[in-house]
Amino acid sequence: MVSKNWVDQADAPMYLIHSEDDFVPPVHSTDLKATAAAKGVPSGRIQTQVVAGSAHGGSLLSEPGVYDRIVAWLKSKA
């Protein structure tokens, strides 16, 4: 199943983060964001970011600044 095929305006806001050398290519998230925009999802609802390194998932929290960016994004949605 490809996530971008199912995105729509009813989805919750998303913060999608990858490392540059993540085994899941960052293009997966940028494609999802582009597809969402094409379906009328407001641009501020989905944020993507690529950081240095090769961490994936929870390991990204140990990358410099990532934890703070995630917390700031969550607080902006409260």
Side-chain angles (χ1 to χ4, degrees):
M1 178 164 81
V2 179
S3 299
K4 72 178 185 176
N5 294 338
W6 298 95
V7 68
D8 66 32
Q9 294 182 19
D11 290 338
M14 296 179 223
Y15 185 76
L16 308 170
I17 187 165
H18 290 263
S19 61
E20 292 172 342
D21 297 319
D22 195 330
F23 70 86
V24 176
V27 72
H28 286 222
S29 291
T30 55
D31 281 353
L32 187 148
K33 183 175 181 173
T35 301
K39 292 182 176 184
V41 176
S43 62
R45 298 278 308 273
I46 300 175
Q47 183 176 343
T48 60
Q49 184 172 22
V50 178
V51 299
S54 61
H56 177 79
S59 297
L60 281 165
L61 293 173
S62 63
E63 296 295 323
V66 169
Y67 177 85
D68 293 333
R69 290 182 199 140
I70 293 170
V71 170
W73 182 84
L74 287 168
K75 286 181 178 181
S76 77
K77 301 303 175 194

